[in-house]
Amino acid sequence: MQVYTCPSGYPELIKQRLLTYQIPEVTVDRVLSVQGSRPDILMKRRPELADLTRKAIQIITDLARPELTLICKPVHRKDHRFIYLDEHIRLEGKTIERALRPADGAIVFFATLGSGVDVVISNSFKEDPALAYAMDASASCLIDSIGTIVCQVSEDVMNQTGLRTGIPISPGAPDWDAATGHRQLGALFAGLPLNIKINSSGMMTPVKSISMLIPYGRQMDQSSRSCDFCAMSATCTYKPPL
């Protein structure tokens, strides 16, 4: 994985730790779960789907060119309504308030699998929709795995410096729409390589990309769960019990 960041400070510490990690292998069970299936039941009924999914995983793994661009920004100031990252990025809303009000700063990153993944998935839908669907799910699993690793490493690095991280949030969370959130986060990356384009509706290109904000500080509340910041929380069947 190619990692871009500032040459010093927390981002460099996170980068050096990330370079020692291997991206977890994407499994057949996980891809089938992402597609909304029960892997154990489905593979008994249709064992050929396991072979199709393995093929999809291999194609995506071979094509992916993961890139990560990561920065840390202090919370510049807070008032009764807004929280400012840097001097000019003004954030508001209940999700932002809950995540950032107690924070001293935030780790912000964008990650992508590269344009080649998008192209092969798009082209395959015309010839083999089942394979394309499996590749799409495989790519989603892979980019999510990268995001999970970045969050884990960021937490480890911050803990070692006496700080704590809060729940990561992404544009598209409740009352932080994707179009606004992606533009706000993207504006923080001036002068750094960011091979992701954001259109007026907030969609990222390449499609298999993610962005995330991880609050950190000495007074972070770690009792929250990621489900608390998810737009699907009220209806999700996978939400763990309280």
Side-chain angles (χ1 to χ4, degrees):
M1 178 168 62
Q2 185 68 53
V3 182
Y4 301 103
T5 188
C6 308
S8 61
Y10 297 137
E12 182 63 21
L13 292 174
I14 294 170
K15 174 182 177 179
Q16 294 306 317
R17 183 73 64 83
L18 282 170
L19 293 177
T20 68
Y21 275 65
Q22 285 216 316
I23 299 171
E25 182 182 357
V26 176
T27 65
V28 171
D29 280 8
R30 189 174 173 203
V31 172
L32 293 176
S33 296
V34 164
Q35 293 173 300
S37 304
R38 281 278 305 274
D40 52 342
I41 295 174
L42 188 61
M43 284 193 286
K44 287 180 180 178
R45 293 177 178 173
R46 299 189 59 188
E48 72 277 6
L49 286 180
D51 291 332
L52 177 72
T53 304
R54 289 189 192 95
K55 179 180 179 181
I57 292 170
Q58 189 63 54
I59 292 171
I60 294 301
T61 302
D62 290 344
L63 277 174
R65 299 292 181 269
E67 289 187 11
L68 169 73
T69 307
L70 179 145
I71 57 174
C72 289
K73 289 290 183 181
V75 172
H76 182 68
R77 66 186 176 92
K78 308 169 188 177
D79 60 29
H80 69 285
R81 181 177 175 186
F82 298 109
I83 297 174
Y84 294 79
L85 280 183
D86 221 3
E87 286 189 55
H88 310 293
I89 305 305
R90 189 174 67 178
L91 306 175
E92 68 173 327
K94 292 181 180 179
T95 297
I96 293 295
E97 180 76 15
R98 186 171 182 179
L100 278 178
R101 180 62 65 178
D104 299 322
I107 300 160
V108 184
F109 70 87
F110 282 82
T112 181
L113 298 183
S115 59
V117 169
D118 286 1
V119 171
V120 74
I121 292 174
S122 178
N123 291 341
S124 295
F125 269 113
K126 304 170 187 176
E127 301 174 1
D128 192 339
L131 178 61
Y133 190 47
M135 287 193 294
D136 185 81
S138 299
S140 294
C141 288
L142 183 56
I143 193 67
D144 286 348
S145 293
I146 292 172
T148 298
I149 289 174
V150 177
C151 292
Q152 290 174 345
V153 170
S154 298
E155 181 178 5
D156 290 345
V157 169
M158 289 303 178
N159 285 345
Q160 289 176 0
T161 62
L163 300 171
R164 296 190 293 180
T165 57
I167 296 295
I169 58 172
S170 293
D175 69 23
W176 194 30
D177 65 274
T180 301
H182 284 145
R183 285 197 299 270
Q184 289 172 326
L185 296 187
L188 296 169
F189 285 78
L192 283 172
L194 188 61
N195 296 321
I196 296 172
K197 295 181 180 179
I198 303 166
N199 67 19
S200 59
S201 64
M203 289 291 294
M204 292 185 288
T205 305
V207 173
K208 293 305 177 183
S209 302
I210 57 170
S211 68
M212 200 166 290
L213 180 154
I214 309 170
Y216 68 84
R218 298 188 182 279
Q219 305 298 323
M220 295 304 301
D221 176 11
Q222 295 186 311
S223 64
S224 298
R225 303 179 303 167
S226 57
C227 296
D228 299 333
F229 296 87
C230 178
M232 300 296 291
S233 179
T235 57
C236 180
T237 58
Y238 298 101
K239 183 178 178 179
L242 294 172

